Amino acid sequence: MTERYEYVPHRLLHRRVRDVASGTEGTLMAVINEDVSVSLDPHWMELAYIRAASGREFTTAVDNVEPA
């Protein structure tokens, strides 16, 4: 079985960030390059995992992340 994800370093890890798509702020917990395909052909995408004030984490495209 091959890995379907890998962690990516990011300058804003563990810092307060804003998701420009939703306007939600939180702490950037991880950036992961994930294979998000539903078929045998891989489709890799860098996703940012952000933990909001509620404690729930959500994902967004890494390009949507900016310092808060």
Side-chain angles (χ1 to χ4, degrees):
M1 183 162 117
T2 62
E3 294 294 328
R4 295 181 61 91
Y5 64 92
E6 63 184 359
Y7 287 91
V8 177
H10 195 279
R11 66 183 177 85
L12 296 174
L13 273 177
H14 308 294
R15 296 183 188 253
R16 189 105 177 125
V17 296
R18 178 180 303 107
D19 171 23
V20 296
S22 68
T24 305
E25 293 186 8
T27 304
L28 181 61
M29 303 306 294
V31 175
I32 299 178
N33 192 23
E34 286 188 51
D35 178 5
V36 295
S37 67
V38 293
S39 67
L40 294 177
D41 296 323
H43 178 81
W44 292 88
M45 184 173 178
E46 284 190 359
L47 296 176
Y49 283 75
I50 300 172
R51 182 174 294 158
S54 67
R56 294 196 116 182
E57 288 188 10
F58 64 95
T59 60
T60 189
V62 75
D63 291 339
N64 289 341
V65 175
E66 66 180 18

